[in-house]
PDB file of all heavy atoms in Angstrom:
ATOM      1  N   TYR A  33      -0.580  -3.296 -13.517  1.00  0.00           N
ATOM      2  CA  TYR A  33       0.116  -2.035 -13.653  1.00  0.00           C
ATOM      3  C   TYR A  33       0.934  -1.762 -12.356  1.00  0.00           C
ATOM      4  O   TYR A  33       0.514  -2.136 -11.270  1.00  0.00           O
ATOM      5  CB  TYR A  33      -0.892  -0.878 -13.774  1.00  0.00           C
ATOM      6  CG  TYR A  33      -1.859  -1.083 -14.928  1.00  0.00           C
ATOM      7  CD1 TYR A  33      -2.994  -1.886 -14.732  1.00  0.00           C
ATOM      8  CD2 TYR A  33      -1.703  -0.416 -16.126  1.00  0.00           C
ATOM      9  CE1 TYR A  33      -3.891  -2.062 -15.751  1.00  0.00           C
ATOM     10  CE2 TYR A  33      -2.621  -0.589 -17.151  1.00  0.00           C
ATOM     11  CZ  TYR A  33      -3.708  -1.417 -16.986  1.00  0.00           C
ATOM     12  OH  TYR A  33      -4.626  -1.597 -17.994  1.00  0.00           O
ATOM     13  N   TRP A  34       1.985  -0.985 -12.552  1.00  0.00           N
ATOM     14  CA  TRP A  34       2.721  -0.404 -11.411  1.00  0.00           C
ATOM     15  C   TRP A  34       2.774   1.131 -11.626  1.00  0.00           C
ATOM     16  O   TRP A  34       3.188   1.608 -12.672  1.00  0.00           O
ATOM     17  CB  TRP A  34       4.156  -0.932 -11.315  1.00  0.00           C
ATOM     18  CG  TRP A  34       4.248  -2.222 -10.599  1.00  0.00           C
ATOM     19  CD1 TRP A  34       4.458  -3.466 -11.114  1.00  0.00           C
ATOM     20  CD2 TRP A  34       4.158  -2.418  -9.170  1.00  0.00           C
ATOM     21  NE1 TRP A  34       4.508  -4.412 -10.124  1.00  0.00           N
ATOM     22  CE2 TRP A  34       4.327  -3.787  -8.938  1.00  0.00           C
ATOM     23  CE3 TRP A  34       3.959  -1.554  -8.098  1.00  0.00           C
ATOM     24  CZ2 TRP A  34       4.289  -4.346  -7.644  1.00  0.00           C
ATOM     25  CZ3 TRP A  34       3.899  -2.106  -6.810  1.00  0.00           C
ATOM     26  CH2 TRP A  34       4.075  -3.458  -6.608  1.00  0.00           C
ATOM     27  N   TYR A  35       2.343   1.812 -10.530  1.00  0.00           N
ATOM     28  CA  TYR A  35       2.409   3.279 -10.539  1.00  0.00           C
ATOM     29  C   TYR A  35       3.238   3.729  -9.316  1.00  0.00           C
ATOM     30  O   TYR A  35       3.353   3.033  -8.332  1.00  0.00           O
ATOM     31  CB  TYR A  35       0.986   3.852 -10.278  1.00  0.00           C
ATOM     32  CG  TYR A  35       0.029   3.702 -11.421  1.00  0.00           C
ATOM     33  CD1 TYR A  35      -0.813   2.594 -11.475  1.00  0.00           C
ATOM     34  CD2 TYR A  35      -0.096   4.668 -12.426  1.00  0.00           C
ATOM     35  CE1 TYR A  35      -1.745   2.463 -12.529  1.00  0.00           C
ATOM     36  CE2 TYR A  35      -1.013   4.539 -13.440  1.00  0.00           C
ATOM     37  CZ  TYR A  35      -1.830   3.456 -13.481  1.00  0.00           C
ATOM     38  OH  TYR A  35      -2.755   3.341 -14.490  1.00  0.00           O
ATOM     39  N   ARG A  36       3.718   4.958  -9.458  1.00  0.00           N
ATOM     40  CA  ARG A  36       4.292   5.624  -8.255  1.00  0.00           C
ATOM     41  C   ARG A  36       3.515   6.925  -8.028  1.00  0.00           C
ATOM     42  O   ARG A  36       3.052   7.563  -8.981  1.00  0.00           O
ATOM     43  CB  ARG A  36       5.774   5.891  -8.397  1.00  0.00           C
ATOM     44  CG  ARG A  36       6.204   6.759  -9.547  1.00  0.00           C
ATOM     45  CD  ARG A  36       7.747   6.960  -9.511  1.00  0.00           C
ATOM     46  NE  ARG A  36       8.165   7.821  -8.432  1.00  0.00           N
ATOM     47  CZ  ARG A  36       9.432   8.098  -8.107  1.00  0.00           C
ATOM     48  NH1 ARG A  36      10.400   7.547  -8.779  1.00  0.00           N
ATOM     49  NH2 ARG A  36       9.714   8.924  -7.118  1.00  0.00           N
ATOM     50  N   GLN A  37       3.353   7.224  -6.747  1.00  0.00           N
ATOM     51  CA  GLN A  37       2.624   8.439  -6.366  1.00  0.00           C
ATOM     52  C   GLN A  37       3.527   9.353  -5.585  1.00  0.00           C
ATOM     53  O   GLN A  37       4.027   8.936  -4.532  1.00  0.00           O
ATOM     54  CB  GLN A  37       1.380   8.080  -5.530  1.00  0.00           C
ATOM     55  CG  GLN A  37       0.569   9.301  -5.160  1.00  0.00           C
ATOM     56  CD  GLN A  37      -0.637   8.975  -4.273  1.00  0.00           C
ATOM     57  OE1 GLN A  37      -0.649   7.956  -3.582  1.00  0.00           O
ATOM     58  NE2 GLN A  37      -1.653   9.815  -4.288  1.00  0.00           N
ATOM     59  N   ASP A  38       3.698  10.555  -6.086  1.00  0.00           N
ATOM     60  CA  ASP A  38       4.517  11.541  -5.444  1.00  0.00           C
ATOM     61  C   ASP A  38       3.694  12.782  -5.195  1.00  0.00           C
ATOM     62  O   ASP A  38       2.811  13.121  -5.966  1.00  0.00           O
ATOM     63  CB  ASP A  38       5.727  11.893  -6.323  1.00  0.00           C
ATOM     64  CG  ASP A  38       6.583  10.655  -6.617  1.00  0.00           C
ATOM     65  OD1 ASP A  38       7.175  10.140  -5.646  1.00  0.00           O
ATOM     66  OD2 ASP A  38       6.637  10.193  -7.755  1.00  0.00           O
ATOM     67  N   PRO A  39       3.996  13.521  -4.114  1.00  0.00           N
ATOM     68  CA  PRO A  39       3.187  14.700  -3.777  1.00  0.00           C
ATOM     69  C   PRO A  39       3.128  15.682  -4.929  1.00  0.00           C
ATOM     70  O   PRO A  39       4.166  16.028  -5.525  1.00  0.00           O
ATOM     71  CB  PRO A  39       3.936  15.271  -2.574  1.00  0.00           C
ATOM     72  CG  PRO A  39       4.687  14.108  -1.977  1.00  0.00           C
ATOM     73  CD  PRO A  39       5.057  13.244  -3.115  1.00  0.00           C
ATOM     74  N   GLY A  40       1.906  16.150  -5.240  1.00  0.00           N
ATOM     75  CA  GLY A  40       1.739  17.150  -6.304  1.00  0.00           C
ATOM     76  C   GLY A  40       1.925  16.653  -7.719  1.00  0.00           C
ATOM     77  O   GLY A  40       1.865  17.424  -8.665  1.00  0.00           O
ATOM     78  N   MET A  41       2.091  15.275  -7.858  1.00  0.00           N
ATOM     79  CA  MET A  41       2.353  14.800  -9.227  1.00  0.00           C
ATOM     80  C   MET A  41       1.359  13.688  -9.592  1.00  0.00           C
ATOM     81  O   MET A  41       1.481  13.077 -10.667  1.00  0.00           O
ATOM     82  CB  MET A  41       3.773  14.254  -9.308  1.00  0.00           C
ATOM     83  CG  MET A  41       4.800  15.279  -9.071  1.00  0.00           C
ATOM     84  SD  MET A  41       6.472  14.820  -9.523  1.00  0.00           S
ATOM     85  CE  MET A  41       6.320  14.929 -11.288  1.00  0.00           C
ATOM     86  N   GLY A  42       0.406  13.394  -8.808  1.00  0.00           N
ATOM     87  CA  GLY A  42      -0.550  12.329  -9.142  1.00  0.00           C
ATOM     88  C   GLY A  42       0.097  10.985  -9.238  1.00  0.00           C
ATOM     89  O   GLY A  42       1.130  10.722  -8.611  1.00  0.00           O
ATOM     90  N   LEU A  43      -0.467  10.121 -10.040  1.00  0.00           N
ATOM     91  CA  LEU A  43       0.077   8.793 -10.231  1.00  0.00           C
ATOM     92  C   LEU A  43       0.759   8.754 -11.616  1.00  0.00           C
ATOM     93  O   LEU A  43       0.193   9.221 -12.603  1.00  0.00           O
ATOM     94  CB  LEU A  43      -1.036   7.753 -10.231  1.00  0.00           C
ATOM     95  CG  LEU A  43      -1.385   7.108  -8.906  1.00  0.00           C
ATOM     96  CD1 LEU A  43      -2.099   8.116  -8.010  1.00  0.00           C
ATOM     97  CD2 LEU A  43      -2.215   5.868  -9.075  1.00  0.00           C
ATOM     98  N   ARG A  44       1.948   8.184 -11.634  1.00  0.00           N
ATOM     99  CA  ARG A  44       2.660   8.050 -12.883  1.00  0.00           C
ATOM    100  C   ARG A  44       2.933   6.559 -13.121  1.00  0.00           C
ATOM    101  O   ARG A  44       3.398   5.847 -12.254  1.00  0.00           O
ATOM    102  CB  ARG A  44       3.959   8.828 -12.849  1.00  0.00           C
ATOM    103  CG  ARG A  44       3.754  10.327 -12.790  1.00  0.00           C
ATOM    104  CD  ARG A  44       5.040  11.083 -12.823  1.00  0.00           C
ATOM    105  NE  ARG A  44       5.797  10.912 -11.575  1.00  0.00           N
ATOM    106  CZ  ARG A  44       7.074  11.259 -11.398  1.00  0.00           C
ATOM    107  NH1 ARG A  44       7.736  11.812 -12.410  1.00  0.00           N
ATOM    108  NH2 ARG A  44       7.657  11.073 -10.263  1.00  0.00           N
ATOM    109  N   LEU A  45       2.645   6.136 -14.359  1.00  0.00           N
ATOM    110  CA  LEU A  45       2.749   4.727 -14.718  1.00  0.00           C
ATOM    111  C   LEU A  45       4.209   4.382 -14.922  1.00  0.00           C
ATOM    112  O   LEU A  45       4.941   4.983 -15.725  1.00  0.00           O
ATOM    113  CB  LEU A  45       1.949   4.447 -15.990  1.00  0.00           C
ATOM    114  CG  LEU A  45       1.917   3.047 -16.500  1.00  0.00           C
ATOM    115  CD1 LEU A  45       1.214   2.131 -15.486  1.00  0.00           C
ATOM    116  CD2 LEU A  45       1.218   2.960 -17.807  1.00  0.00           C
ATOM    117  N   ILE A  46       4.673   3.317 -14.262  1.00  0.00           N
ATOM    118  CA  ILE A  46       6.046   2.844 -14.372  1.00  0.00           C
ATOM    119  C   ILE A  46       6.141   1.778 -15.470  1.00  0.00           C
ATOM    120  O   ILE A  46       6.900   1.922 -16.446  1.00  0.00           O
ATOM    121  CB  ILE A  46       6.556   2.271 -13.068  1.00  0.00           C
ATOM    122  CG1 ILE A  46       6.398   3.303 -11.917  1.00  0.00           C
ATOM    123  CG2 ILE A  46       8.017   1.872 -13.161  1.00  0.00           C
ATOM    124  CD1 ILE A  46       6.676   2.742 -10.520  1.00  0.00           C
ATOM    125  N   TYR A  47       5.388   0.703 -15.302  1.00  0.00           N
ATOM    126  CA  TYR A  47       5.332  -0.413 -16.241  1.00  0.00           C
ATOM    127  C   TYR A  47       3.928  -0.963 -16.202  1.00  0.00           C
ATOM    128  O   TYR A  47       3.224  -0.841 -15.211  1.00  0.00           O
ATOM    129  CB  TYR A  47       6.300  -1.537 -15.880  1.00  0.00           C
ATOM    130  CG  TYR A  47       7.681  -1.441 -16.449  1.00  0.00           C
ATOM    131  CD1 TYR A  47       8.696  -0.821 -15.694  1.00  0.00           C
ATOM    132  CD2 TYR A  47       7.985  -1.977 -17.675  1.00  0.00           C
ATOM    133  CE1 TYR A  47       9.955  -0.736 -16.208  1.00  0.00           C
ATOM    134  CE2 TYR A  47       9.282  -1.891 -18.197  1.00  0.00           C
ATOM    135  CZ  TYR A  47      10.261  -1.285 -17.456  1.00  0.00           C
ATOM    136  OH  TYR A  47      11.561  -1.217 -17.972  1.00  0.00           O
ATOM    137  N   TYR A  48       3.544  -1.643 -17.269  1.00  0.00           N
ATOM    138  CA  TYR A  48       2.305  -2.388 -17.250  1.00  0.00           C
ATOM    139  C   TYR A  48       2.464  -3.677 -18.022  1.00  0.00           C
ATOM    140  O   TYR A  48       3.443  -3.860 -18.807  1.00  0.00           O
ATOM    141  CB  TYR A  48       1.159  -1.543 -17.822  1.00  0.00           C
ATOM    142  CG  TYR A  48       1.213  -1.258 -19.288  1.00  0.00           C
ATOM    143  CD1 TYR A  48       0.539  -2.038 -20.219  1.00  0.00           C
ATOM    144  CD2 TYR A  48       1.877  -0.123 -19.751  1.00  0.00           C
ATOM    145  CE1 TYR A  48       0.576  -1.732 -21.544  1.00  0.00           C
ATOM    146  CE2 TYR A  48       1.939   0.183 -21.088  1.00  0.00           C
ATOM    147  CZ  TYR A  48       1.279  -0.644 -22.011  1.00  0.00           C
ATOM    148  OH  TYR A  48       1.294  -0.340 -23.319  1.00  0.00           O
ATOM    149  N   SER A  49       1.507  -4.556 -17.769  1.00  0.00           N
ATOM    150  CA  SER A  49       1.500  -5.870 -18.453  1.00  0.00           C
ATOM    151  C   SER A  49       0.101  -6.083 -18.945  1.00  0.00           C
ATOM    152  O   SER A  49      -0.833  -6.266 -18.160  1.00  0.00           O
ATOM    153  CB  SER A  49       1.898  -6.955 -17.472  1.00  0.00           C
ATOM    154  OG  SER A  49       1.688  -8.243 -18.035  1.00  0.00           O
ATOM    155  N   ALA A  50      -0.053  -6.084 -20.256  1.00  0.00           N
ATOM    156  CA  ALA A  50      -1.421  -6.239 -20.839  1.00  0.00           C
ATOM    157  C   ALA A  50      -1.923  -7.676 -20.694  1.00  0.00           C
ATOM    158  O   ALA A  50      -3.152  -7.875 -20.681  1.00  0.00           O
ATOM    159  CB  ALA A  50      -1.403  -5.821 -22.308  1.00  0.00           C
ATOM    160  N   SER A  51      -1.013  -8.628 -20.618  1.00  0.00           N
ATOM    161  CA  SER A  51      -1.440 -10.009 -20.436  1.00  0.00           C
ATOM    162  C   SER A  51      -0.213 -10.784 -19.928  1.00  0.00           C
ATOM    163  O   SER A  51       0.943 -10.293 -19.987  1.00  0.00           O
ATOM    164  CB  SER A  51      -1.912 -10.593 -21.761  1.00  0.00           C
ATOM    165  OG  SER A  51      -0.932 -10.547 -22.758  1.00  0.00           O
ATOM    166  N   GLU A  52      -0.453 -11.999 -19.494  1.00  0.00           N
ATOM    167  CA  GLU A  52       0.615 -12.840 -19.017  1.00  0.00           C
ATOM    168  C   GLU A  52       1.683 -12.984 -20.124  1.00  0.00           C
ATOM    169  O   GLU A  52       1.356 -13.241 -21.259  1.00  0.00           O
ATOM    170  CB  GLU A  52       0.030 -14.220 -18.684  1.00  0.00           C
ATOM    171  CG  GLU A  52       0.980 -15.138 -18.044  1.00  0.00           C
ATOM    172  CD  GLU A  52       0.306 -16.478 -17.693  1.00  0.00           C
ATOM    173  OE1 GLU A  52      -0.928 -16.580 -17.817  1.00  0.00           O
ATOM    174  OE2 GLU A  52       1.008 -17.428 -17.314  1.00  0.00           O
ATOM    175  N   GLY A  53       2.922 -12.783 -19.761  1.00  0.00           N
ATOM    176  CA  GLY A  53       4.043 -12.944 -20.675  1.00  0.00           C
ATOM    177  C   GLY A  53       4.422 -11.657 -21.420  1.00  0.00           C
ATOM    178  O   GLY A  53       5.407 -11.692 -22.197  1.00  0.00           O
ATOM    179  N   THR A  54       3.697 -10.589 -21.216  1.00  0.00           N
ATOM    180  CA  THR A  54       4.072  -9.317 -21.860  1.00  0.00           C
ATOM    181  C   THR A  54       4.227  -8.188 -20.849  1.00  0.00           C
ATOM    182  O   THR A  54       3.494  -8.148 -19.861  1.00  0.00           O
ATOM    183  CB  THR A  54       3.013  -8.856 -22.897  1.00  0.00           C
ATOM    184  OG1 THR A  54       1.832  -8.470 -22.217  1.00  0.00           O
ATOM    185  CG2 THR A  54       2.667  -9.974 -23.866  1.00  0.00           C
ATOM    186  N   THR A  55       5.202  -7.340 -21.071  1.00  0.00           N
ATOM    187  CA  THR A  55       5.348  -6.154 -20.244  1.00  0.00           C
ATOM    188  C   THR A  55       5.752  -4.970 -21.153  1.00  0.00           C
ATOM    189  O   THR A  55       6.380  -5.164 -22.208  1.00  0.00           O
ATOM    190  CB  THR A  55       6.438  -6.331 -19.168  1.00  0.00           C
ATOM    191  OG1 THR A  55       7.696  -6.590 -19.781  1.00  0.00           O
ATOM    192  CG2 THR A  55       6.107  -7.460 -18.221  1.00  0.00           C
ATOM    193  N   ASP A  56       5.349  -3.778 -20.747  1.00  0.00           N
ATOM    194  CA  ASP A  56       5.672  -2.575 -21.518  1.00  0.00           C
ATOM    195  C   ASP A  56       5.998  -1.446 -20.592  1.00  0.00           C
ATOM    196  O   ASP A  56       5.444  -1.356 -19.472  1.00  0.00           O
ATOM    197  CB  ASP A  56       4.483  -2.179 -22.432  1.00  0.00           C
ATOM    198  CG  ASP A  56       4.362  -3.068 -23.617  1.00  0.00           C
ATOM    199  OD1 ASP A  56       5.164  -2.910 -24.516  1.00  0.00           O
ATOM    200  OD2 ASP A  56       3.457  -3.937 -23.604  1.00  0.00           O
ATOM    201  N   LYS A  57       6.822  -0.519 -21.101  1.00  0.00           N
ATOM    202  CA  LYS A  57       7.193   0.643 -20.307  1.00  0.00           C
ATOM    203  C   LYS A  57       6.052   1.656 -20.298  1.00  0.00           C
ATOM    204  O   LYS A  57       5.338   1.822 -21.251  1.00  0.00           O
ATOM    205  CB  LYS A  57       8.419   1.317 -20.940  1.00  0.00           C
ATOM    206  CG  LYS A  57       9.693   0.472 -20.879  1.00  0.00           C
ATOM    207  CD  LYS A  57      10.866   1.183 -21.552  1.00  0.00           C
ATOM    208  CE  LYS A  57      12.110   0.319 -21.465  1.00  0.00           C
ATOM    209  NZ  LYS A  57      13.261   0.944 -22.160  1.00  0.00           N
ATOM    210  N   GLY A  58       5.976   2.309 -19.122  1.00  0.00           N
ATOM    211  CA  GLY A  58       5.049   3.414 -18.984  1.00  0.00           C
ATOM    212  C   GLY A  58       5.762   4.727 -19.100  1.00  0.00           C
ATOM    213  O   GLY A  58       6.740   4.886 -19.875  1.00  0.00           O
ATOM    214  N   GLU A  59       5.350   5.668 -18.262  1.00  0.00           N
ATOM    215  CA  GLU A  59       5.859   7.033 -18.368  1.00  0.00           C
ATOM    216  C   GLU A  59       7.254   7.179 -17.703  1.00  0.00           C
ATOM    217  O   GLU A  59       8.086   7.945 -18.164  1.00  0.00           O
ATOM    218  CB  GLU A  59       4.859   7.923 -17.645  1.00  0.00           C
ATOM    219  CG  GLU A  59       5.100   9.413 -17.732  1.00  0.00           C
ATOM    220  CD  GLU A  59       4.082  10.195 -16.908  1.00  0.00           C
ATOM    221  OE1 GLU A  59       3.062   9.605 -16.436  1.00  0.00           O
ATOM    222  OE2 GLU A  59       4.317  11.395 -16.663  1.00  0.00           O
ATOM    223  N   VAL A  60       7.487   6.423 -16.600  1.00  0.00           N
ATOM    224  CA  VAL A  60       8.739   6.624 -15.848  1.00  0.00           C
ATOM    225  C   VAL A  60       9.398   5.278 -15.513  1.00  0.00           C
ATOM    226  O   VAL A  60       9.533   4.895 -14.361  1.00  0.00           O
ATOM    227  CB  VAL A  60       8.464   7.421 -14.522  1.00  0.00           C
ATOM    228  CG1 VAL A  60       8.189   8.869 -14.817  1.00  0.00           C
ATOM    229  CG2 VAL A  60       7.306   6.811 -13.718  1.00  0.00           C
ATOM    230  N   PRO A  61       9.889   4.539 -16.530  1.00  0.00           N
ATOM    231  CA  PRO A  61      10.400   3.183 -16.282  1.00  0.00           C
ATOM    232  C   PRO A  61      11.857   3.108 -15.793  1.00  0.00           C
ATOM    233  O   PRO A  61      12.288   2.062 -15.304  1.00  0.00           O
ATOM    234  CB  PRO A  61      10.306   2.560 -17.664  1.00  0.00           C
ATOM    235  CG  PRO A  61      10.511   3.699 -18.599  1.00  0.00           C
ATOM    236  CD  PRO A  61       9.865   4.913 -17.931  1.00  0.00           C
ATOM    237  N   ASN A  62      12.618   4.216 -15.931  1.00  0.00           N
ATOM    238  CA  ASN A  62      14.053   4.147 -15.658  1.00  0.00           C
ATOM    239  C   ASN A  62      14.309   3.820 -14.193  1.00  0.00           C
ATOM    240  O   ASN A  62      13.753   4.436 -13.296  1.00  0.00           O
ATOM    241  CB  ASN A  62      14.729   5.482 -16.014  1.00  0.00           C
ATOM    242  CG  ASN A  62      14.761   5.717 -17.498  1.00  0.00           C
ATOM    243  OD1 ASN A  62      14.515   4.797 -18.281  1.00  0.00           O
ATOM    244  ND2 ASN A  62      15.003   6.923 -17.906  1.00  0.00           N
ATOM    245  N   GLY A  63      15.224   2.831 -14.013  1.00  0.00           N
ATOM    246  CA  GLY A  63      15.587   2.424 -12.629  1.00  0.00           C
ATOM    247  C   GLY A  63      14.766   1.267 -12.129  1.00  0.00           C
ATOM    248  O   GLY A  63      14.954   0.813 -10.993  1.00  0.00           O
ATOM    249  N   TYR A  64      13.836   0.776 -12.962  1.00  0.00           N
ATOM    250  CA  TYR A  64      12.922  -0.267 -12.554  1.00  0.00           C
ATOM    251  C   TYR A  64      12.915  -1.450 -13.558  1.00  0.00           C
ATOM    252  O   TYR A  64      13.150  -1.225 -14.743  1.00  0.00           O
ATOM    253  CB  TYR A  64      11.479   0.198 -12.400  1.00  0.00           C
ATOM    254  CG  TYR A  64      11.307   1.361 -11.491  1.00  0.00           C
ATOM    255  CD1 TYR A  64      11.261   2.657 -12.004  1.00  0.00           C
ATOM    256  CD2 TYR A  64      11.120   1.206 -10.154  1.00  0.00           C
ATOM    257  CE1 TYR A  64      11.099   3.773 -11.213  1.00  0.00           C
ATOM    258  CE2 TYR A  64      10.925   2.298  -9.312  1.00  0.00           C
ATOM    259  CZ  TYR A  64      10.927   3.572  -9.840  1.00  0.00           C
ATOM    260  OH  TYR A  64      10.749   4.664  -9.011  1.00  0.00           O
ATOM    261  N   ASN A  65      12.638  -2.646 -13.050  1.00  0.00           N
ATOM    262  CA  ASN A  65      12.350  -3.767 -13.937  1.00  0.00           C
ATOM    263  C   ASN A  65      11.112  -4.461 -13.409  1.00  0.00           C
ATOM    264  O   ASN A  65      10.808  -4.386 -12.201  1.00  0.00           O
ATOM    265  CB  ASN A  65      13.515  -4.761 -13.955  1.00  0.00           C
ATOM    266  CG  ASN A  65      14.638  -4.249 -14.795  1.00  0.00           C
ATOM    267  OD1 ASN A  65      14.461  -3.958 -15.975  1.00  0.00           O
ATOM    268  ND2 ASN A  65      15.834  -4.091 -14.196  1.00  0.00           N
ATOM    269  N   VAL A  66      10.409  -5.195 -14.295  1.00  0.00           N
ATOM    270  CA  VAL A  66       9.246  -5.915 -13.873  1.00  0.00           C
ATOM    271  C   VAL A  66       9.220  -7.333 -14.351  1.00  0.00           C
ATOM    272  O   VAL A  66       9.956  -7.666 -15.313  1.00  0.00           O
ATOM    273  CB  VAL A  66       7.925  -5.215 -14.345  1.00  0.00           C
ATOM    274  CG1 VAL A  66       7.689  -3.893 -13.627  1.00  0.00           C
ATOM    275  CG2 VAL A  66       7.958  -5.026 -15.850  1.00  0.00           C
ATOM    276  N   SER A  67       8.455  -8.156 -13.685  1.00  0.00           N
ATOM    277  CA  SER A  67       8.240  -9.536 -14.113  1.00  0.00           C
ATOM    278  C   SER A  67       6.780  -9.878 -13.960  1.00  0.00           C
ATOM    279  O   SER A  67       6.215  -9.692 -12.903  1.00  0.00           O
ATOM    280  CB  SER A  67       9.078 -10.503 -13.274  1.00  0.00           C
ATOM    281  OG  SER A  67      10.461 -10.320 -13.463  1.00  0.00           O
ATOM    282  N   ARG A  68       6.177 -10.386 -15.049  1.00  0.00           N
ATOM    283  CA  ARG A  68       4.815 -10.928 -14.927  1.00  0.00           C
ATOM    284  C   ARG A  68       4.975 -12.421 -14.815  1.00  0.00           C
ATOM    285  O   ARG A  68       5.085 -13.146 -15.797  1.00  0.00           O
ATOM    286  CB  ARG A  68       3.997 -10.560 -16.203  1.00  0.00           C
ATOM    287  CG  ARG A  68       2.527 -11.027 -16.111  1.00  0.00           C
ATOM    288  CD  ARG A  68       1.720 -10.172 -15.190  1.00  0.00           C
ATOM    289  NE  ARG A  68       0.379 -10.626 -15.026  1.00  0.00           N
ATOM    290  CZ  ARG A  68      -0.668 -10.227 -15.778  1.00  0.00           C
ATOM    291  NH1 ARG A  68      -0.496  -9.299 -16.724  1.00  0.00           N
ATOM    292  NH2 ARG A  68      -1.867 -10.637 -15.528  1.00  0.00           N
TER     293      ARG A  68
END
Side-chain angles (χ1 to χ4, degrees):
Chain A
Y33 306 81
W34 276 106
Y35 291 91
R36 59 179 289 175
Q37 182 183 23
D38 301 294
M41 299 193 74
L43 270 73
R44 293 182 292 169
L45 182 64
I46 305 171
Y47 270 94
Y48 69 95
S49 170
S51 60
E52 186 179 351
T54 69
T55 60
D56 284 285
K57 294 178 181 179
E59 186 185 348
V60 288
N62 291 346
Y64 305 96
N65 285 302
V66 290
S67 296
R68 183 75 183 266

